């Protein structure tokens, strides 16, 4: 478990707080995926990734695994309306870049 890896070109667009998602190894599923998936904004996803970094435990990973299985069955949040998955991450407004 851990934040899903993103495209390398996004790295320069992170705020220092968002870059904290790299303090743990990436995973194939994560806290953001089981709490909204692509129905979330980029800022919401990054906030959930940071929550995971700050609260990691085997118990949290077990919850993520169980909830991932449920999310796969429900098939919710797979794509953002109007996109195959999500719009490109262009940066956060607080970094001076409009998303």
């Amino acid at each position: 478990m851990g934040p899903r890896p993103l495209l390398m070109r996004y790295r320069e667009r992170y705020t220092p707080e968002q870059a904290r998602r790299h303090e743990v190894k990436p995973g194939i599923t994560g806290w953001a995926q089981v709490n909204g998936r692509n129905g979330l904004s980029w800022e919401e996803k990054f906030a959930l990734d940071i929550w995971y970094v700050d609260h990691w435990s085997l118990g949290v990973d077990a919850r993520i695994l169980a909830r991932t299985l449920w999310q796969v069955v429900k098939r919710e949040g797979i794509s953002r309306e109007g996109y195959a998955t999500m719009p490109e991450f262009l940066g956060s407004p607080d970094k001076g870049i409009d998303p």
Side-chain angles (χ1 to χ4, degrees), residues 35-79:
N35 284 289
R37 213 168 169 180
N38 290 329
L40 301 171
S41 69
W42 282 110
E43 285 73 22
E44 291 168 321
K45 283 184 174 195
F46 292 135
L48 290 168
D49 288 345
I50 300 310
W51 183 93
Y52 177 83
V53 168
D54 291 339
H55 296 90
W56 177 87
S57 70
L58 291 176
V60 170
D61 278 355
R63 286 176 59 195
I64 291 171
L65 185 57
R67 289 177 69 176
T68 295
L69 296 173
W70 179 242
Q71 291 286 59
V72 169
V73 170
K74 287 189 338 182
R75 300 186 50 82
E76 290 179 353
I78 295 170
S79 63

